[in-house]
Amino acid sequence: MGSTVPPLTVPSPRSTVPLPTTGAPAPSNVTLKVTMALTGTVFALYVLVHMIGNLKVYTGAEHFDAYAHWLRTLAEPLLPYEGALWLFRAVLLVCLAAHVGASVLIVVRARRARGRVRRTGMGWRRLPATLMPYTGLVLLVFIVVHILDLTTGTRPVAPTGFVDPTRTSSDAYGNLVESLQRWPMALFYIVVMAMLFLHLVHGLWTLAQDYGVTGQRTRQVWALLALVFAGAVALGDLSIPIAVLAGWVG
């Protein structure tokens, strides 16, 4: 007799449980980096122009006060008094909110992804990158102090002799000199300019990556330009409190 072949059985498929999936965080890291690059570019151009304007203090009180008054009457009568100035402030405020918000999200996500692991052997060249959150925080505090000191004249941050601008005149020179003649405030400005240099150097360098700059030679040129730009801005602003303390301005 022939052997009976058992019927072929096909096992029923096992029920599968889908793996948990999480969508990409919104906004994406790319969007955050582009936001920081664009707003960082705005700030870099602003601090350069602001520094050039500050250097007018070396031309004397008359010219410096005239420049400060011109900023308030810019684009009149097309815009009302201080209209252009408030427009610039609004743009800077929006950029500041976007820049700080994007940087906080990037830092938080990076720390969550890293966990408890700490990167070692970074070297001094990575110091500006490591200090970016801290230099940024110092600059944020400086913005508030600077506004209270030389824009709104709010005491006790501002000097006791602060003179508010009028529609026909400005005493920006006297306010600046009287403020920086206080050595704690002058020292604060000097320290902040050092922080600004570190922040600008690394921030401008990362623009090369965010804007997709490639090529070793091009990136080396970009790094040099970042160093020169940050150094020029920091030294230009740094010279003013030193000049006031030394009696060269005042």
Side-chain angles (χ1 to χ4, degrees):
M1 294 179 59
S3 60
T4 303
V5 179
L8 181 64
T9 58
V10 180
S12 59
R14 297 179 180 179
S15 60
T16 59
V17 178
L19 295 175
T21 57
T22 57
S28 67
N29 286 345
V30 173
T31 301
L32 295 176
K33 287 184 176 294
V34 171
T35 299
M36 292 193 68
L38 294 176
T39 55
T41 301
V42 172
F43 288 131
L45 295 175
Y46 169 75
V47 295
L48 176 63
V49 174
H50 188 62
M51 183 272 295
I52 295 173
N54 286 341
L55 292 181
K56 291 184 179 294
V57 73
Y58 292 111
T59 63
E62 182 179 354
H63 290 87
F64 191 73
D65 290 343
Y67 168 69
H69 182 66
W70 172 79
L71 289 176
R72 298 178 183 278
T73 59
L74 182 63
E76 281 188 339
L78 177 63
L79 295 178
Y81 176 72
E82 291 189 342
L85 199 56
W86 278 107
L87 181 62
F88 295 150
R89 289 168 177 169
V91 172
L92 290 173
L93 183 60
V94 171
C95 289
L96 179 63
H99 195 81
V100 172
S103 64
V104 169
L105 284 177
I106 289 177
V107 170
V108 170
R109 290 177 184 178
R111 290 184 176 179
R112 286 178 179 175
R114 181 186 62 197
R116 297 182 178 180
V117 179
R118 299 291 178 180
R119 190 173 180 182
T120 59
M122 299 293 289
W124 65 270
R125 291 185 178 181
R126 293 291 300 172
L127 183 62
T130 305
L131 294 178
M132 281 296 279
Y134 308 103
T135 56
L137 181 60
V138 171
L139 293 176
L140 192 60
V141 172
F142 171 73
I143 291 173
V144 176
V145 172
H146 188 58
I147 292 174
L148 296 176
D149 182 23
L150 295 176
T151 302
T152 63
T154 304
R155 297 172 179 82
V157 180
T160 56
F162 183 88
V163 178
D164 291 313
T166 67
R167 296 185 67 92
T168 58
S169 65
S170 173
D171 194 27
Y173 184 91
N175 293 337
L176 175 66
V177 170
E178 186 169 351
S179 176
L180 295 181
Q181 282 178 340
R182 302 171 296 172
W183 69 263
M185 185 60 73
L187 181 61
F188 174 68
Y189 272 69
I190 291 172
V191 172
V192 169
M193 290 308 106
M195 298 297 102
L196 175 62
F197 172 76
L198 292 175
H199 202 83
L200 271 178
V201 164
H202 183 71
L204 292 173
W205 164 242
T206 56
L207 288 181
Q209 305 175 38
D210 297 335
Y211 287 147
V213 175
T214 59
Q216 182 178 1
R217 180 63 61 84
T218 305
R219 292 170 72 87
Q220 288 176 345
V221 172
W222 189 293
L224 178 61
L225 292 177
L227 184 63
V228 172
F229 186 100
V233 171
L235 289 176
D237 285 332
L238 183 67
S239 69
I240 298 175
I242 294 176
V244 172
L245 288 178
W248 303 331
V249 171

